[in-house]
Amino acid sequence: MLGEKGLACSIAEAQTDYLIGRGRHHDARAVLGVAIESARHTGDRRMMAALRICMGMTELFASCVDPARHWFEEAASLSRRLGEPGELARAMTGLGAVALQSGDTAAAEAHIKTAFEVFPRSDDWGASSAHSTLGFTRIAQERQEEALACFRVALARARMVDRPRVQSRTLLCMADAHFALGQPHEAQPLLHEAATLATAAKDLMLLALTLVRLGTAAHQEGHPDAAMPYFGRALTVRRSMTRENEPQWGRVEMDIRCRVGRAHLTAWRRDEARQQFQAALALPDASAYDLERAQAINGLQACAAHNPTAADSADPPQ
């Protein structure tokens, strides 16, 4: 019986990345909840912390920051008590991501520093995650060149474990750093590879985010019409998601439509641009997303002012 419980725990841990990648957060919670209870009877010390980290990641990707913090803190406490440095490092990386999502870059950096101090040298996946989280922190601190250096290390470690989803997400992060540096041309090959990997991983959200950035890269290179097919594909992928499986679907569509609107404005198609900004504001829960709502309002103002250049430069790529 103990063997069966141990197998159930291993399966739950292995399935977490698959379920998160498909936005099935509810399913991940259900599977992990049963596994966490079973882990108490297996005698596997690592698994007790590992499953809590999986639950923390599930909550983090579901944008539930407080529950995520709870699970990572439990995992860190267990890992210290049971002498599991690898799981402690992953828990601290998770706490760093939670702090970053809460806007506390100093705390994020401190947590990641602790993670680096205890990571086993052979843990490529964990090290990739920690370097990516540090890269996000550097972007938030507007230290873009340092962010790129972090993401390059993260990508090299991610390639060692051959996880398409991890590699795709890291390439996307690198592209965002290039956008912030005003280098859309450098972002494009990274995004093409990221899109291929996201497709292989069947991660719809990651694919949509990659496609919309390919559109932005084409737009910023001076080709707004070439951007439109990418934006169209991103919207098609977004329609494959549901609110139940992806809580950020509304924000994603608002962002895509704002980018489409800005590209139309650059091409002097004010009516088409206005339709996109209005569609963004008409989405359910649009008022909950301050940044995207501000972009749509600014876009409508730019339509009225007949000024496409101002609208195009009003917001940095995200």
Side-chain angles (χ1 to χ4, degrees), residues 39 174 180 191 229 304 312:
M174 292 176 70
L191 291 167
D312 185 44

Side-chain angles (χ1 to χ4, degrees), residues 175-188 191 212-227 231 259 262-263 266 311-318:
D176 277 348
H178 280 299
F179 278 127
L181 289 166
Q183 300 169 343
H185 182 72
E186 299 293 331
Q188 285 177 314
L191 291 167
V212 77
R213 281 161 173 77
L214 277 166
T216 295
H219 180 199
Q220 291 191 356
E221 287 277 279
H223 308 292
D225 289 334
F231 291 142
R259 294 181 194 238
R262 291 195 291 271
T266 299
D312 185 44
S313 62
D315 304 294
Q318 297 165 47

Side-chain angles (χ1 to χ4, degrees), residues 219 253-266 269-283 286 292-304 307-308 310-312 314-315:
H219 180 199
E253 180 159 348
M254 287 185 75
D255 177 60
I256 296 171
R257 291 195 179 279
C258 286
R259 294 181 194 238
V260 175
R262 291 195 291 271
H264 278 308
L265 268 179
T266 299
R269 294 189 289 263
R270 289 183 293 115
D271 289 343
E272 291 88 339
R274 186 181 297 108
Q275 289 171 8
Q276 293 297 325
F277 295 129
Q278 289 172 339
L281 291 171
L283 287 168
E292 289 74 17
R293 185 170 180 274
Q295 289 176 354
I297 291 171
N298 289 341
L300 287 174
Q301 291 172 344
C303 289
N307 189 346
D312 185 44
D315 304 294

Side-chain angles (χ1 to χ4, degrees), residues 225-246:
D225 289 334
M228 293 302 174
Y230 291 117
F231 291 142
R233 287 174 60 195
L235 280 171
T236 298
V237 173
R238 211 295 300 157
R239 292 187 191 104
S240 301
M241 305 176 198
T242 65
R243 184 189 295 271
E244 291 74 22
N245 285 346
E246 182 45 67

